[in-house]
Amino acid sequence: MSASGPAPSPASPASPRSRQLALGVLATGMLMIILDGSIVTVAMPAMQDDLGFTPAGLSWVVNAYLIAFGSLLLLAGRLGDLIGRRRMFLAGTAVFTAASLLAGLAASPALLIAARFLQGVGSAMASAVSLGILVTLFTEPGERGRAVAVFSFTGAAGASIGQVLGGVLTDALNWHWIFFINLPIGIAVLATAVRVLPGDVGLGRKAGADVISAVLVTAGLMLGIYTVVEVGENGWTSGRTLGFGALAAVLLAAFLVRQATAKNPLMPLRIFRSRSVSAANLVQILMVAALFSFQVLVALYLQKVLGYGAAETGLAMLPAAAVIGAVSLGLSARLNARFGERNVLLAGIVLLIGVLGLLTRVPVQANYLVDLLPVMLLAAGFGLALPALTTLGMSGASEEDAGLASGLFNTTQQIGMAVGVAVLSTLAAARTESLAAGGSTAAEALTGGYRLAFAVGAGLLVVSFVIAFTMLRRPERWAAEEPAVEQPAADTQAPAHAAAV
């Protein structure tokens, strides 16, 4: 990983068995993190009743986690390159597990919010380097494709399982157990990771320990995400939103200037020379923003309009998890190898446009088999799009920048989520209020708001399709080979291109 070569590993991942064990550790860690994010949403009403949250205060159970997670991913990814990705993964998993215990024991709103912020810190540390470890473990294209498919599936499975598990644990025990369940998983991941993850010494602090850049990007992202998640409370044109948004933009602009001029930048801008990396991250922002409406607003529609309970909602969405798993684990790697990641990504986006397109017509009194099951089955597009997009997002990065590319890819995911939360939920709420004021029933008004959000989400997916079709037109490896002839110094990017595409 560094110029001097990786340090010996306690259990070398050279053998197929060792690599599979390492993949299992990384996937389980991601499952725990994603599961925690979805499991909380189902239990929030119980938290409010027990701890006395105000409606505005309750949103910070999610926002505190989102702000810490999204703003620290880029910094954590680069620090993983510098001090060693294995060390960063272990530290992040430990922080997340300890914070989960603190959240489970929380007896006040302030303590729970603080614990959620710490969970976000640990999640950023662990997830920022996970993909970086994965792509350096699996260098053969077929193996890497299968590994990425498994890794992507755990994210989708975690979101679906979390909704079911959150309802079951909250109803059968209490909300504290949605956090306690992370303890045995976290301890098992740590115990196994120490033995199977490859050791790496990192590049060393002198290779890029840019404190000024770290402060600028962390402050800019934290303020920017805070501004976006508060739009629903403050409005898009309020002085608070515009002022904080402008300050965040200034901080991020200063960060980019710093990256172009610093001797050892935190985020070397060379990573954006790869068209696959740049386009994949842009596509991801739009996709994740759009698909927030499927992951969250469908659950709200099931509960608030159709009257489903928490556990029933999770079960209703299980077919989506099943088809995503079948496609991502059984087909995606083979399809990527045969048709190319770009073509598989485009096919997946088309299916997802169909998902949100059908949801724009969802009725107030829906029949699950007729109106919703087809939507869940078309969610197979997740299983096509996510592995392909992940591979494209990690292509073009050299081994020493793998942690940075991983952190960048995860950061754009969180930015997309924050944008989706702010834009789609605000539009849905405004439409609902307008319909209610016009005399519609509560169910009709809510349905109308959700339909608008689904339509806007479908539009975002159309834009992401256009970007993927135009910017990813030529295979990445061709673009990588051309400058290698004229500029030999750029060869550091060639190995990752060859392995990823």
Side-chain angles (χ1 to χ4, degrees), residues 260-355:
T261 58
K263 181 179 179 181
N264 294 314
L266 178 66
M267 186 185 73
L269 297 182
R270 65 176 179 269
I271 196 170
F272 293 107
R273 294 175 188 168
S274 166
R275 187 167 57 178
S276 287
V277 171
S278 300
N281 279 278
L282 182 57
V283 168
Q284 178 170 237
I285 290 176
L286 295 170
M287 278 185 56
V288 173
L291 295 174
F292 160 80
S293 62
F294 176 80
Q295 295 172 332
V296 177
L297 295 185
V298 168
L300 291 175
Y301 166 77
L302 290 171
Q303 294 185 59
K304 292 188 174 183
V305 177
L306 301 186
Y308 284 32
E312 288 178 300
T313 298
L315 291 172
M317 298 185 74
L318 270 183
V323 295
I324 291 169
V327 172
S328 61
L329 293 178
L331 289 176
S332 64
R334 284 180 286 175
L335 292 175
N336 286 336
R338 181 171 181 179
F339 299 106
E341 288 85 359
R342 179 244 192 197
N343 292 328
V344 175
L345 170 62
L346 293 175
I349 294 176
V350 169
L351 291 179
L352 294 176
I353 292 172
V355 168

Side-chain angles (χ1 to χ4, degrees), residues 149 152-164 294 313-332 368 373 375-384:
S152 299
F153 166 70
T154 58
S160 299
I161 294 171
Q163 291 173 329
V164 178
F294 176 80
T313 298
L315 291 172
M317 298 185 74
L318 270 183
V323 295
I324 291 169
V327 172
S328 61
L329 293 178
L331 289 176
S332 64
Y368 179 81
L373 185 58
V375 171
M376 302 300 168
L377 297 179
L378 281 177
F382 278 105
L384 293 177

Side-chain angles (χ1 to χ4, degrees), residues 77-161:
R78 189 55 181 168
L79 288 177
D81 290 332
L82 301 179
I83 68 173
R85 289 186 281 273
R86 175 178 180 269
R87 186 178 301 171
M88 180 61 73
F89 180 84
L90 292 172
T93 304
V95 169
F96 180 86
T97 304
S100 297
L101 176 60
L102 183 63
L105 296 174
S108 69
L111 185 57
L112 180 57
I113 291 172
R116 289 288 289 162
F117 186 88
L118 287 177
Q119 278 190 310
V121 173
S123 296
M125 295 169 66
S127 62
V129 296
S130 295
L131 280 173
I133 296 173
L134 186 149
V135 298
T136 54
L137 279 172
F138 298 90
T139 56
E140 191 273 322
E143 274 193 333
R144 177 178 288 185
R146 290 187 290 272
V148 168
V150 171
F151 190 81
S152 299
F153 166 70
T154 58
S160 299
I161 294 171

